[in-house]
Amino acid sequence: MEDAMTPPDRRWKIETALRAAPAHSLPEALTAAVLGCFPQTTSLRLLLADYQRRLLLPIDDHDSSGPVRISDSPAGRAYGTLSPVPVPAIVGTAGERRLFIPVTARGEPLGVLEIRLSAGSDEVLGDSLLAELAQLGEIVGCALKLAWKHTDRYERARRHRRLTLAAELQWQLLPANGCGGAEFSMAGHLEPAYAVGGDNFDWSTERDHLTLSVTNGSGNGVQAALLTSLTVGALRNARRFGADLADQVSLANDMVYARYRGSEFTENLALRIDLADGMVSAVDAGSPRILRMRGTHIEPLDLDPQMPLGMFPDTRYQVERFQIESGDRLIIVSDGVCDAQAPDGGAFGTVLLEDTLQRTRSLEASEVPLSIINALIEHRQATDLDDDAVAVCLDWK
């Protein structure tokens, strides 16, 4: 009998159903499996975060309830905090209550599951059942990431409006919005999300180190996206061949120069963080800025600036090193953040950036980049950004 199923039985049944389902039918397979395994559930809905990470959009095209705002909703709280959020019974629904579960894949937040529970479920929704239901978010997130490239359904569902072609190229270039491990948690965000052109971030985790780079591309539109794609592709190619950090940047410089002969260039900050001791190797090749927050103290890490990538052939780059400690937070932003001007002419600058970091120091790393971008948009008085902006947050545990 279903009621007699153990937690491992239920997990096995749900995972089996997701593996057997076609890539485009994961939500339907999930709903059928969950309703069959948990008698107290009455319905399930999958919501995906849009590119701006301001809305949670239903996966079902026929869902009439529409998008849910992340900033002021229980669903958004589950997405932002990466923790389940139970909601009391809904008035007029015979005692039904809801549970919002973050959908994540290896630390990357993708969306939220909304589970409706029958009347009287308060009596059975204890810590063990809540923890078991919370695991659904990880199961679904990993299944979604595997299915994502086999169908356009999930990409289409998370678009509140159409992406520009340049933004399409840039978002497909990103590794993920977030990443986490025992030693760190990390997240990044691009804006304007639906029209970004040249800014980018990239990372890769290995057994003993983490590599992170932030690129500030020149120009705008498709031309900027193609230039950044060449830069990031060259950095990845060198990294995957086993080149050290300085050689990765040098080889990327050569590739950009060979294509553009100095007429175009990109600015880049590349980091390699040893997971054992927090020693950071860095190459500063341009304008992305890095700040370290230790407790309530914030300081810019002033690295020796070196030539942007693609300006001159055969440029050799030098590595600098600094130490991070448990509890440190690193923030990296492109010049589209600090140099952004308000309509009255005032720059966002490091003062407003540091003020934002102080106000968000208790938040998870997954929430910080979007908070920075939101503060930037508020500073701009909701007018369109003149330049691409990227923000990345890394918490060192």
Side-chain angles (χ1 to χ4, degrees):
M1 294 178 58
E2 302 288 8
D3 288 350
M5 293 177 68
T6 65
D9 290 338
R10 288 191 286 263
R11 183 183 179 111
W12 176 85
K13 183 172 181 178
I14 292 170
E15 289 180 336
T16 300
L18 293 177
R19 283 196 299 268
H24 59 272
S25 297
L26 291 188
E28 291 76 19
L30 174 68
T31 299
V34 170
L35 294 182
C37 290
F38 296 94
Q40 57 271 68
T41 60
T42 60
S43 68
L44 180 145
R45 188 167 70 132
L46 173 62
L47 302 153
L48 295 180
D50 86 311
Y51 277 90
Q52 285 186 305
R53 296 171 67 189
R54 289 176 175 81
L55 298 173
L56 291 165
L57 304 175
I59 193 74
D60 189 347
D61 295 335
H62 305 293
D63 192 320
S64 60
S65 57
V68 177
R69 289 178 58 86
I70 289 177
S71 62
D72 54 5
S73 67
R77 191 159 68 251
Y79 175 82
T81 62
L82 304 183
S83 300
V85 175
V87 179
I90 308 169
V91 176
T93 56
E96 269 194 343
R97 65 175 304 178
R98 293 173 297 165
L99 173 64
F100 293 101
I101 298 170
V103 175
T104 63
R106 298 188 180 277
E108 177 189 5
L110 301 176
V112 168
L113 288 176
E114 178 189 28
I115 297 178
R116 296 208 174 202
L117 303 163
S118 60
S121 59
D122 287 351
E123 300 174 3
V124 296
L125 190 61
D127 291 341
S128 60
L129 181 58
L130 184 62
E132 187 180 353
L133 289 171
Q135 288 183 339
L136 283 176
E138 298 175 7
I139 296 171
V140 175
C142 291
L144 271 177
K145 292 297 284 187
L146 287 174
W148 207 280
K149 293 185 181 298
H150 297 272
T151 175
D152 285 337
R153 183 182 184 187
Y154 311 115
E155 276 293 334
R156 188 166 56 248
R158 67 182 294 227
R159 299 181 184 209
H160 187 55
R161 62 178 186 268
R162 184 174 180 175
L163 292 177
T164 64
L165 178 55
E168 187 82 48
L169 294 173
Q170 284 297 82
W171 282 103
Q172 294 303 315
L173 193 63
L174 291 179
N177 279 326
C179 181
E183 302 86 358
F184 67 93
S185 57
M186 178 170 53
H189 188 62
L190 299 175
E191 195 69 33
Y194 287 89
V196 66
D199 285 8
N200 183 272
F201 54 83
D202 189 34
W203 52 62
S204 175
T205 59
E206 301 292 343
R207 176 182 55 82
D208 60 350
H209 70 274
L210 162 71
T211 303
L212 166 64
S213 69
V214 175
T215 300
N216 182 43
S218 62
N220 49 55
V222 172
Q223 181 62 28
L226 292 174
L227 173 59
T228 300
S229 295
L230 175 61
T231 302
V232 175
L235 287 167
R236 287 175 175 173
N237 181 255
R239 185 184 74 218
R240 291 165 181 170
F241 180 71
D244 63 25
L245 191 67
D247 284 344
Q248 291 172 31
V249 180
S250 295
L251 290 169
N253 170 79
D254 293 344
M255 292 301 100
V256 175
Y257 182 84
R259 173 63 180 83
Y260 293 98
R261 312 304 296 181
S263 63
E264 300 282 355
F265 60 88
T266 57
E267 297 171 312
N268 182 268
L269 175 66
L271 306 176
R272 184 190 189 278
I273 304 172
D274 290 337
L275 299 182
D277 58 7
M279 179 60 67
V280 182
S281 303
V283 175
D284 182 354
S287 64
R289 308 180 195 185
I290 180 169
L291 299 92
R292 177 174 58 196
M293 186 171 191
R294 181 169 291 170
T296 60
H297 178 66
I298 301 172
E299 62 175 329
L301 298 178
D302 295 323
L303 304 173
D304 291 334
Q306 302 177 64
M307 286 292 125
L309 308 187
M311 291 193 74
F312 303 102
D314 302 321
T315 303
R316 299 298 95 186
Y317 292 89
Q318 301 299 316
V319 172
E320 299 177 73
R321 291 180 172 81
F322 62 89
Q323 186 76 45
I324 53 176
E325 300 176 358
S326 178
D328 281 358
R329 169 169 284 178
L330 296 182
I331 303 294
I332 305 171
V333 296
S334 66
D335 60 4
V337 175
C338 288
D339 296 345
Q341 299 288 319
D344 62 7
F348 186 74
T350 56
V351 173
L352 288 178
L353 175 59
E354 291 184 14
D355 179 66
T356 302
L357 297 183
Q358 291 288 4
R359 288 188 288 105
T360 60
R361 67 180 183 270
S362 63
L363 298 181
E364 298 290 337
S366 58
E367 300 178 87
V368 174
L370 187 56
S371 296
I372 294 173
I373 297 298
N374 285 339
L376 175 64
I377 292 173
E378 181 180 350
H379 176 72
R380 291 277 302 172
Q381 298 177 24
T383 59
D384 293 338
L385 298 180
D386 295 327
D387 191 13
D388 294 344
V390 60
V392 174
C393 175
L394 182 144
D395 283 352
W396 184 248
K397 303 176 183 179

